[in-house]
Amino acid sequence: MKEVVKPARKLAGEIAVPGDKSISHRSVMLAGLADSPVTICNFLASADCLSTVACMQALGVKVDRPGEDELAILGNGLYGLSEPEEVLDAGNSGTTIRLLTGILAGQPFFSVLSGDGSLRRRPMARVITPLSKMGCRIYGREGSRYAPLAIVPADGIHGIDYTMPVASAQVKSALLFAGMFADGPTRITEPYISRDHSERMLQTFGAKVTRSGLIVKIAPVQELSAPRTIDVPGDISSAAFWLVAATIIPGSRLRLTNVGINPTRTGIIDILRRMGADIEITNQRQAGEEPVADLVVSAAELSGTTVEGEIIPRLIDEIPVLAVAALFAKGRTVISGAEELRVKETDRLKAITLELAKMGARIEETVDGLIIDGPQRLEAAVCQSHDDHRMAMALAIAGLAAGGVEIEEAACVAISYPRFFAHIAALQEAAGGSR
Ligand SMILES: O=C(O)C1=C[C@@H](OP(=O)(O)O)[C@@H](O)[C@H](O)C1
Ligand SMILES: C=C(OP(=O)(O)O)C(=O)O
């Protein structure tokens, strides 16, 4: 499917961004391992999270959907999953396959996990290696590097002390989830702190998870005690597209309501503010263990900056749209230490350089990042999403702020933000049409 995005006049009004993808996945998995009913509100009913739902159903968890964004989950307890009859399909979702591998590695039954062409090219050794050290038996293609993954029952799994070579919340979460089924404590050291939604939600479910600096520890769990409801905050990774759009389109002012502002996710706010963005954080409150707020963003002049080190995992999914912001900023922006972008849905460093070049942008792709000198003038172009949702949305924001864009393979926005183009249309209409 193609989408045409016309250049926008100023953006104004309010957007309720959809529920957080990371928290939605985790809520279904943990609620499915409890034995009392859980209602999940503001669930992100996107393709990735629905892959998690289908996998949990195939494992014997009962899931009803009483409302568009509401799920009712009834599990059979921590030891109550049943052997799936079919291959579990994680679709396009790295979070689904890696976190479920952690859960399934501790089960007394056989299972196979796979996904689409993109997912079958993404690295899986990063979860298989530490899980194997715990005694789990997991096999994959090409020397256990790629899915499909076959998981064979182990004779009991053990807690380990593991130092992760890459900052990855998916690897950390897989180990924390497997650690629930181990016979002793599991201790994980991260190079930098990655998103901590699993730790927070495990605590909500009564698991003993503690953190000291870069070390997180989980004790074996006998049973999970579920909260009656989980309120999923809005996704800051989806909000990021509007934060950038309203900043770079002159005269704009947008209110983004109910956005999760967990400090392990707010790198995009920190960097945009450092570049000169006008982002106000208001109405701060808690949604369970997660902090939320409304964000009010007004157009502002940006300057280039350096993005590296510990902040990278705090904005990893926002780098494609941050590259768009950098094209509108005065001076040089250097992003480094972001080589993880090469193993996402597509090689995002390569794809963003290639596709924005079609609009006339000159971006230097480095081994682990991007160098962008701004401001630059962008022209209308036909671009490819590479079937990557974050690419499609970043290109749409570039087109909105510049001369428009036609995006091929745009349907992939359904992976994390199904109503993205509907929100663009509503903003255009509210502004009285395009420029
Ligand atoms: O744990 C999660 O929910 C996620 C972790 C990140 O991946 P990595 O763990 O591979 O960095 C992120 O890119 C992904 O969109 C979601
Ligand atoms: C990388 C992403 O997700 P996942 O790893 O779950 O496929 C993403 O949403 O940008």
Side-chain angles (χ1 to χ4, degrees), residues 2-20:
K2 261 189 202 170
E3 281 286 343
V4 177
V5 175
K6 301 230 171 85
R9 291 178 212 265
K10 63 180 186 179
L11 303 178
E14 191 171 293
I15 299 179
V17 294
D20 188 274

Side-chain angles (χ1 to χ4, degrees), residues 21-23 25-26 95 98-99 122 126 167-173 194-195 197-198 237 265 316-317 340 344-345 348 389-390:
K21 178 160 77 72
S22 295
I23 298 173
H25 283 300
R26 288 156 172 81
T95 311
R98 296 203 180 104
L99 271 58
R122 292 179 65 184
R126 54 180 60 197
S168 161
Q170 294 177 2
V171 174
K172 174 178 61 177
S173 302
S194 61
R195 65 191 69 193
H197 306 301
S198 296
S237 296
R265 295 286 298 281
I316 189 74
D317 294 339
E340 272 296 296
K344 298 292 183 188
E345 282 77 332
R348 288 179 175 162
H389 53 129
R390 308 252 181 237

Side-chain angles (χ1 to χ4, degrees), residues 61-344:
V61 174
K62 221 171 145 264
V63 183
D64 288 324
R65 195 165 158 198
E68 183 60 23
D69 306 328
E70 191 178 316
L71 293 184
I73 311 271
L74 184 58
N76 303 303
L78 190 59
Y79 295 91
L81 296 180
S82 44
E83 185 171 270
E85 286 179 20
E86 269 283 2
V87 172
L88 297 167
D89 184 3
N92 189 243
S93 174
T95 311
T96 306
I97 198 166
R98 296 203 180 104
L99 271 58
L100 270 183
T101 299
I103 291 174
L104 293 172
Q107 304 303 319
F109 54 73
F110 174 74
S111 54
V112 180
L113 275 159
S114 193
D116 70 8
S118 155
L119 195 62
R120 293 195 307 272
R121 286 189 294 274
R122 292 179 65 184
M124 294 300 145
R126 54 180 60 197
V127 283
I128 297 177
T129 302
L131 287 170
S132 301
K133 288 187 203 287
M134 294 176 81
C136 305
R137 295 167 65 203
I138 308 169
Y139 307 91
R141 285 186 309 118
E142 292 191 31
S144 290
R145 287 162 63 207
Y146 301 108
L149 306 180
I151 304 172
V152 176
D155 309 324
I157 63 173
H158 320 293
I160 51 165
D161 196 336
Y162 185 68
T163 300
M164 300 195 328
V166 284
S168 161
Q170 294 177 2
V171 174
K172 174 178 61 177
S173 302
L175 299 180
L176 288 171
F177 287 178
M180 292 195 287
F181 301 96
D183 59 8
T186 300
R187 232 170 73 117
I188 306 153
T189 306
E190 305 188 78
Y192 296 122
I193 295 185
S194 61
R195 65 191 69 193
D196 66 357
H197 306 301
S198 296
E199 293 92 307
R200 288 174 192 244
M201 201 175 288
L202 280 163
Q203 282 166 344
T204 304
F205 277 76
K208 213 170 147 247
V209 180
T210 50
R211 174 175 287 278
S212 158
L214 294 170
I215 301 172
V216 50
K217 196 168 142 190
I218 186 164
V221 176
Q222 304 316 321
E223 61 174 357
L224 292 175
S225 57
R228 237 179 276 157
T229 57
I230 297 174
D231 277 313
V232 179
D235 198 326
I236 191 167
S237 296
S238 298
F241 298 103
W242 308 121
L243 291 177
V244 170
T247 297
I248 62 178
I249 298 173
S252 298
R253 185 175 169 86
L254 279 181
R255 173 180 285 268
L256 310 170
T257 56
N258 190 36
V259 181
I261 52 159
N262 177 318
T264 61
R265 295 286 298 281
T266 46
I268 186 67
I269 297 180
D270 296 350
I271 291 294
L272 286 174
R273 277 180 165 172
R274 199 204 289 163
M275 293 173 82
D278 178 353
I279 301 170
E280 202 188 319
I281 301 177
T282 65
N283 196 13
Q284 284 197 45
R285 55 208 186 272
Q286 283 293 123
E289 295 299 314
E290 296 282 348
V292 297
D294 296 345
L295 305 180
V296 181
V297 52
S298 306
E301 300 277 316
L302 296 181
S303 325
T305 191
T306 302
V307 187
E308 63 187 0
E310 64 82 29
I311 204 153
I312 296 291
R314 294 180 51 231
L315 49 56
I316 189 74
D317 294 339
E318 289 68 78
I319 291 174
V321 77
L322 186 58
V324 174
L327 286 170
F328 286 77
K330 199 166 159 219
R332 174 166 282 201
T333 296
V334 180
I335 301 171
S336 61
E339 61 275 16
E340 272 296 296
L341 288 188
R342 297 205 183 274
V343 291
K344 298 292 183 188

